[in-house]
Amino acid sequence: MGFFGTYFYDGVRWQEREPDQEQDLAEPWLMVNIYDSDIATVIYRPTGPGAGVAYLGYTPRTYFEDPEASAPTDVEREAAGLVSWWSHVHGVADGAEREVKERELRAYLAEDIAPEDVEWDEEEDVDQLDDAEIFVEVKTVRFLGALDLPVPDAFS
């Protein structure tokens, strides 16, 4: 069994929440929902140019092999939205710094992969993989570091 948890960042601290709990926080905020160590859903407000939802690990469409499991993802759009959120939270206006941060964040984001293109290699040597490729919570900790945010206590 993998790791499950939902956490809200209100601009100051993290709060543990239920996945379906109303987001009644003042903006800016960010929510991370970890599902079975395979999917991290990142929801953020304000969205800027993004849709406000990004994924780490796998997208639900890919993981469940079901195009109805989530809306199609646009990694470029969400990276732009997340950098807009990051610059709002941290007061960064410099265009060059924003471009660098956008490339950094884009590298963490999951994109939709057609079921026939997914390689679920059960015999893959897990010793050769980075922990972030196995456990989405490890990737989430690194992603939060890239956003210059503290990490929820549950990840410590």
Side-chain angles (χ1 to χ4, degrees):
M1 180 183 225
F3 182 86
F4 293 84
T6 302
Y7 308 91
F8 281 87
Y9 182 71
D10 64 8
V12 178
R13 67 187 163 289
W14 287 98
Q15 304 168 27
E16 193 165 351
R17 296 267 180 112
E18 293 298 319
D20 57 353
Q21 189 171 354
E22 281 294 314
Q23 294 91 350
D24 56 353
L25 302 173
E27 293 181 2
W29 58 262
L30 183 133
M31 178 193 83
V32 176
N33 181 19
I34 306 286
Y35 178 81
D36 202 20
S37 294
D38 292 315
I39 300 172
T41 304
V42 178
I43 301 174
Y44 57 95
R45 300 290 184 274
T47 62
V53 179
Y55 300 99
L56 311 178
Y58 295 102
T59 70
R61 295 167 65 92
T62 299
Y63 185 77
F64 295 111
E65 297 181 11
D66 179 2
E68 301 299 315
S70 61
T73 59
D74 183 337
V75 172
E76 300 298 321
R77 180 178 177 194
E78 293 318 316
L82 283 160
V83 83
S84 177
W85 184 90
W86 169 82
S87 67
H88 176 79
V89 169
H90 297 293
V92 178
D94 179 81
E97 190 174 352
R98 288 172 57 117
E99 285 179 27
V100 169
K101 184 59 70 172
E102 188 171 334
R103 282 192 303 273
E104 180 183 12
L105 295 175
R106 187 181 310 121
Y108 287 96
L109 302 182
E111 58 188 318
D112 296 322
I113 302 171
E116 62 272 11
D117 295 334
V118 177
E119 295 180 22
W120 306 100
D121 187 359
E122 296 295 327
E123 295 187 27
E124 188 170 28
D125 187 359
V126 294
D127 292 335
Q128 300 301 315
L129 296 175
D130 182 272
D131 284 348
E133 298 305 315
I134 301 170
F135 305 106
V136 79
E137 56 270 28
V138 174
K139 184 174 269 189
T140 301
V141 167
R142 293 176 187 174
F143 173 75
L144 295 175
L147 284 174
D148 302 313
L149 295 178
V151 176
D153 290 339
F155 293 96
S156 301

